[in-house]
Amino acid sequence: MRFLASTLVPKHSTGLDRRPLSQRDRFAELVALARWAEDVGYDAFGVGERHNPSLLSSSPAVILSHLAARTRRIRLVTTVAVLSLTDPVRAAEDYATLDHLSDGRLDLIIGKGGDAIAPSVFGVAEEQLWDRLEEGYELIRRLWREERVNWRGRFRPPLTDATIEPHPLQQPAPRVWHGSATSRRSTELAARWGDPLYSANGLGRTESYLDLVRHYRERLAHHGHDADAALVAVGVHSPIITDRSQDALAIARPIFEASVRQHFPDRGRFPFDSLEDFLAHGSALVGTPGQIVEKLLDLHARFGNQVFGVGVEGFFSTYTTDIATTKGYLERFFAEVAPVLRAEIPTTVWDARPEPCAAPVAP
């Protein structure tokens, strides 16, 4: 099993104090978080693209390029890159450049995007987002694999004998995952190309995400791909781990209620009746190390995944006392939970470690 950290880079530091930080300091905090994630045992670190006044993650290619220079081995992932809003030629160039700067550590997760604000900012009609995603991805695939591309589509000017530079360092081209949360358009697109799937498994009921993963595997087989070899990642929330389960529940309950009030002011739109319902039928990790191991093994048995995306700045971390508390839970996760999962669920995902670039020769 492999583990992915991800963040949307909220403007405010986490914690009950919600202390304001300058944007410069917030980015410095993000760099420190990525380096900590590498040291504590995460296999990958992701930044999700959002164009929203409450977040600072509008340019994941730029952020991840900087993190490439400040980290050594951890994979660098877009969680997700919103190709429906991006010129595919620009995206192909930016992420190929990032692949070189990171010594081949890039994985791309792409998606339509779920931010209601962003389409209006870019002047894109919401009803075009899925079509733009599909068209843009197909063009990126060609630009990463071909020279002198001739192309014509609906949403950007045609190309004649177009070649981008650089091409990605990784050959074959970097792995592209498809983010899946609510629509079969994403699972169909991933299945058509035989690409891996990232199931958000976030604030919905687990069964709804499982339905999409089942559809993905069915469509993989339909398109002539090996559904049994499907590569799947699944998200879960940052854990709350204690020696006694009742202590973990006592800590989690006020955090759960505060987070629901923040994210779902209309409680009727939240799909869980209680913290216990969220634990039983959602992706919350609350309890003893053994209970969390049991839950993750059960999720793996149902999803057949090789990667867990374990949050670092999200639903349960927003209202803890400070980021150090969340880190403490995660350090215990990697000391007591992750080793069991790694032993129980072997995988070759992200096994290959690219050779670091040679040091510059002194004049």
Side-chain angles (χ1 to χ4, degrees):
M1 182 59 66
R2 300 287 184 256
F3 299 95
L4 163 68
S6 64
T7 178
L8 296 175
V9 199
K11 288 173 71 172
H12 296 286
S13 181
T14 57
L16 286 170
D17 58 359
R18 306 290 287 161
R19 58 190 175 90
L21 291 177
S22 70
Q23 294 187 0
R24 177 182 181 181
D25 287 346
R26 186 66 185 95
F27 279 120
E29 192 175 69
L30 172 65
V31 173
L33 183 65
R35 298 183 69 173
W36 169 86
E38 179 172 69
D39 290 340
V40 81
Y42 276 105
D43 302 285
F45 190 87
V47 173
E49 179 180 351
R50 292 292 188 276
H51 303 274
N52 185 307
S54 65
L55 305 168
L56 298 177
S57 55
S58 58
S59 300
V62 176
I63 294 172
L64 292 173
S65 292
H66 182 67
L67 296 182
R70 303 298 299 275
T71 57
R72 305 177 306 278
R73 59 150 188 92
I74 202 165
R75 298 293 296 186
L76 300 170
V77 185
T78 59
T79 54
V80 300
V82 186
L83 294 189
S84 55
L85 302 177
T86 306
D87 177 60
V89 176
R90 177 81 268 175
E93 293 172 336
D94 285 348
Y95 287 113
T97 302
L98 168 55
D99 196 43
H100 279 271
L101 293 173
S102 65
D103 289 323
R105 289 188 278 149
L106 171 68
D107 275 51
L108 207 62
I109 303 177
I110 64 170
K112 171 188 72 71
D115 195 326
I117 299 172
S120 62
V121 171
F122 285 86
V124 173
E126 192 167 351
E127 62 270 17
Q128 294 180 346
L129 293 176
W130 282 112
D131 292 342
R132 284 178 171 270
L133 171 66
E134 293 176 3
E135 179 179 291
Y137 176 50
E138 291 176 18
L139 179 53
I140 288 174
R141 286 182 61 90
R142 291 193 60 190
L143 292 169
W144 275 2
R145 290 164 172 79
E146 301 176 27
E147 307 281 344
R148 303 174 66 85
V149 172
N150 294 292
W151 177 90
R152 182 177 296 272
R154 292 173 56 198
F155 301 114
R156 75 167 319 280
L159 298 175
T160 302
D161 291 339
T163 299
I164 67 158
E165 292 295 350
H167 279 68
L169 174 62
Q170 295 179 78
Q171 295 297 326
R175 183 185 287 115
V176 177
W177 308 66
H178 296 253
S180 169
T182 59
S183 174
R184 290 188 171 192
R185 290 286 295 267
S186 58
T187 49
E188 174 63 30
L189 183 62
R192 183 194 318 165
W193 293 106
D195 291 333
L197 191 77
Y198 188 97
S199 176
N201 195 34
L203 294 176
R205 297 181 79 82
T206 299
E207 190 59 36
S208 66
Y209 298 106
L210 274 169
D211 181 69
L212 289 168
V213 173
R214 293 186 193 107
H215 177 259
Y216 164 63
R217 288 196 165 94
E218 290 167 3
R219 298 304 293 171
L220 275 172
H222 172 83
H223 290 291
H225 304 291
D226 183 0
D228 292 334
L231 181 55
V232 175
V234 173
V236 290
H237 291 283
S238 54
I240 294 176
I241 303 177
T242 59
D243 291 336
R244 302 191 312 164
S245 59
Q246 59 266 44
D247 293 338
L249 288 169
I251 294 167
R253 197 172 305 281
I255 299 172
F256 171 81
E257 294 295 340
S259 295
V260 172
R261 287 194 298 270
Q262 170 70 18
H263 297 291
F264 293 91
D266 179 0
R267 183 66 179 258
R269 298 184 60 191
F270 188 60
F272 301 100
D273 296 331
S274 63
L275 173 60
E276 285 74 12
D277 190 22
F278 192 21
L279 288 170
H281 303 290
S283 53
L285 301 180
V286 177
T288 66
Q291 288 173 322
I292 290 174
V293 166
E294 182 179 357
K295 175 161 185 174
L296 292 176
L297 288 175
D298 177 68
L299 285 174
H300 166 72
R302 301 168 75 188
F303 281 96
N305 59 305
Q306 295 82 17
V307 176
F308 275 118
V310 183
V312 291
E313 292 185 321
F315 190 80
F316 272 110
S317 61
T318 303
Y319 290 96
T320 53
T321 53
D322 51 44
I323 189 64
T325 302
T326 298
K327 285 181 175 180
Y329 294 137
L330 284 164
E331 286 165 2
R332 189 163 183 183
F333 177 91
F334 279 100
E336 301 179 50
V337 176
V340 179
L341 294 167
R342 293 193 195 278
E344 291 282 338
I345 310 166
T347 179
T348 60
V349 178
W350 300 329
D351 263 0
R353 296 284 185 252
E355 291 296 323
C357 60
V361 177

